[in-house]
Short mmCIF file of all heavy atoms in Angstrom, two decimals:
data_model
loop_
_atom_site.label_atom_id
_atom_site.label_comp_id
_atom_site.label_asym_id
_atom_site.label_seq_id
_atom_site.Cartn_x
_atom_site.Cartn_y
_atom_site.Cartn_z
N GLU I 99 -15.77 9.23 -5.55
CA GLU I 99 -14.51 9.94 -5.42
C GLU I 99 -14.07 10.60 -6.73
O GLU I 99 -14.29 10.04 -7.81
CB GLU I 99 -13.41 8.97 -4.97
CG GLU I 99 -13.47 8.61 -3.51
CD GLU I 99 -12.27 7.74 -3.12
OE1 GLU I 99 -11.98 6.78 -3.84
OE2 GLU I 99 -11.63 8.06 -2.11
N PRO I 100 -13.37 11.75 -6.61
CA PRO I 100 -13.16 12.47 -5.37
C PRO I 100 -14.19 13.58 -5.12
O PRO I 100 -14.16 14.21 -4.07
CB PRO I 100 -11.78 13.10 -5.59
CG PRO I 100 -11.79 13.44 -7.05
CD PRO I 100 -12.59 12.34 -7.73
N HIS I 101 -15.11 13.75 -6.07
CA HIS I 101 -15.90 14.98 -6.07
C HIS I 101 -17.10 14.98 -5.14
O HIS I 101 -17.46 16.02 -4.61
CB HIS I 101 -16.39 15.29 -7.48
CG HIS I 101 -15.29 15.61 -8.44
ND1 HIS I 101 -14.57 14.64 -9.10
CD2 HIS I 101 -14.76 16.79 -8.84
CE1 HIS I 101 -13.66 15.21 -9.87
NE2 HIS I 101 -13.75 16.51 -9.72
N PHE I 102 -17.74 13.84 -4.94
CA PHE I 102 -19.03 13.85 -4.25
C PHE I 102 -19.04 12.88 -3.08
O PHE I 102 -18.62 11.72 -3.22
CB PHE I 102 -20.15 13.50 -5.23
CG PHE I 102 -20.24 14.46 -6.38
CD1 PHE I 102 -19.80 14.09 -7.65
CD2 PHE I 102 -20.76 15.73 -6.20
CE1 PHE I 102 -19.87 14.98 -8.70
CE2 PHE I 102 -20.83 16.63 -7.25
CZ PHE I 102 -20.39 16.26 -8.50
N TRP I 103 -19.55 13.38 -1.95
CA TRP I 103 -19.59 12.61 -0.72
C TRP I 103 -20.98 12.71 -0.10
O TRP I 103 -21.62 13.76 -0.19
CB TRP I 103 -18.56 13.16 0.28
CG TRP I 103 -17.14 12.96 -0.16
CD1 TRP I 103 -16.53 13.50 -1.26
CD2 TRP I 103 -16.15 12.19 0.51
NE1 TRP I 103 -15.23 13.10 -1.32
CE2 TRP I 103 -14.96 12.29 -0.25
CE3 TRP I 103 -16.15 11.42 1.67
CZ2 TRP I 103 -13.78 11.64 0.13
CZ3 TRP I 103 -14.98 10.80 2.05
CH2 TRP I 103 -13.81 10.91 1.28
N GLY I 104 -21.38 11.64 0.58
CA GLY I 104 -22.59 11.71 1.38
C GLY I 104 -22.31 12.40 2.71
O GLY I 104 -21.18 12.81 2.99
N GLN I 105 -23.36 12.50 3.52
CA GLN I 105 -23.21 13.19 4.81
C GLN I 105 -22.72 12.27 5.92
O GLN I 105 -22.34 12.73 6.98
CB GLN I 105 -24.55 13.82 5.22
CG GLN I 105 -25.52 12.90 5.94
CD GLN I 105 -26.09 11.78 5.07
OE1 GLN I 105 -25.98 11.81 3.85
NE2 GLN I 105 -26.70 10.79 5.70
N GLY I 106 -22.72 10.97 5.64
CA GLY I 106 -22.19 10.01 6.59
C GLY I 106 -23.25 9.41 7.49
O GLY I 106 -24.30 10.00 7.74
N THR I 107 -22.97 8.18 7.96
CA THR I 107 -23.84 7.52 8.92
C THR I 107 -22.96 6.91 10.01
O THR I 107 -21.91 6.33 9.71
CB THR I 107 -24.73 6.45 8.25
OG1 THR I 107 -25.67 5.95 9.18
CG2 THR I 107 -23.92 5.29 7.67
N LEU I 108 -23.35 7.08 11.26
CA LEU I 108 -22.54 6.66 12.39
C LEU I 108 -22.84 5.22 12.77
O LEU I 108 -24.00 4.84 12.98
CB LEU I 108 -22.80 7.57 13.59
CG LEU I 108 -22.10 7.19 14.90
CD1 LEU I 108 -20.59 7.27 14.75
CD2 LEU I 108 -22.59 8.10 16.04
N VAL I 109 -21.78 4.44 12.85
CA VAL I 109 -21.86 3.08 13.36
C VAL I 109 -21.09 3.03 14.67
O VAL I 109 -19.91 3.37 14.70
CB VAL I 109 -21.27 2.07 12.36
CG1 VAL I 109 -21.25 0.67 12.97
CG2 VAL I 109 -22.06 2.08 11.06
N ALA I 110 -21.77 2.65 15.73
CA ALA I 110 -21.14 2.55 17.05
C ALA I 110 -21.15 1.09 17.48
O ALA I 110 -22.22 0.48 17.58
CB ALA I 110 -21.88 3.41 18.06
N VAL I 111 -19.96 0.54 17.69
CA VAL I 111 -19.83 -0.86 18.11
C VAL I 111 -19.48 -0.87 19.59
O VAL I 111 -18.38 -0.46 19.98
CB VAL I 111 -18.77 -1.60 17.28
CG1 VAL I 111 -18.74 -3.08 17.67
CG2 VAL I 111 -19.05 -1.43 15.79
N SER I 112 -20.42 -1.33 20.38
CA SER I 112 -20.23 -1.30 21.82
C SER I 112 -21.17 -2.29 22.49
O SER I 112 -22.28 -2.52 22.00
CB SER I 112 -20.48 0.10 22.36
OG SER I 112 -20.42 0.13 23.77
N SER I 113 -20.73 -2.82 23.62
CA SER I 113 -21.58 -3.72 24.39
C SER I 113 -22.36 -2.94 25.45
O SER I 113 -23.16 -3.50 26.18
CB SER I 113 -20.74 -4.81 25.05
OG SER I 113 -19.70 -4.24 25.82
#
Side-chain angles (χ1 to χ4, degrees):
Chain I
E99 284 185 313
H101 295 84
F102 301 105
W103 293 64
Q105 85 292 346
T107 188
L108 175 63
V109 175
V111 184
S112 174
S113 55

